[in-house]
Amino acid sequence: MANKKVTGLGGIFFRSEDPATLREWYNAHLGLNATQYGAIFDWRQDDAPERKGQTVWNPFKKDTDYFAPSDKQFMFNFRVENLEWLLDELKKEGINQVGEMQVYEYGKFAHIVDPEGNKIELWEPGAED
């Protein structure tokens, strides 16, 4: 049985002229409760309701290099089940990884770029998610 590739949307990140002011506006008018790390939306997985998931909304400074090599105004973060396996599969399919995989207590992260130059962040959440 093949692993799932993408299991959900982990986050929506975009460039902003003034991220702090924009977060304040969304907090005041839409109740996002965003911090410097964005707003976190918790949810439960359909196939495992005991497991919690999160999706993050966060504006970045307009000159951030975090989206590089893309010059696009946004970046999607997709949740995946087995990042190392997925990166191997993508390599076989001719898709190159951008940079090295990063590992933190809250998960593993890697990046690829789609055919239109959009940088995509792949995230395998840590065990507590």
Side-chain angles (χ1 to χ4, degrees), residues 14-20 22 59-63 73:
F14 58 96
R15 297 177 195 264
S16 167
E17 295 286 330
D18 186 347
L22 193 60
F60 281 68
K61 291 182 181 178
K62 72 176 185 174
D63 60 353
Q73 297 301 311

Side-chain angles (χ1 to χ4, degrees), residues 8-65:
L9 184 62
I12 301 170
F13 309 124
F14 58 96
R15 297 177 195 264
S16 167
E17 295 286 330
D18 186 347
T21 299
L22 193 60
R23 281 190 292 269
E24 289 173 13
W25 186 92
Y26 275 84
N27 289 348
H29 301 288
L30 297 178
L32 259 58
N33 198 28
T35 70
Q36 68 179 352
Y37 303 108
I40 296 174
F41 299 91
D42 293 324
W43 45 267
R44 298 282 175 184
Q45 296 183 21
D46 284 341
D47 59 349
E50 71 282 0
R51 293 187 64 203
K52 184 174 81 169
Q54 296 180 325
T55 301
V56 178
W57 171 94
N58 198 19
F60 281 68
K61 291 182 181 178
K62 72 176 185 174
D63 60 353
T64 183
D65 61 359

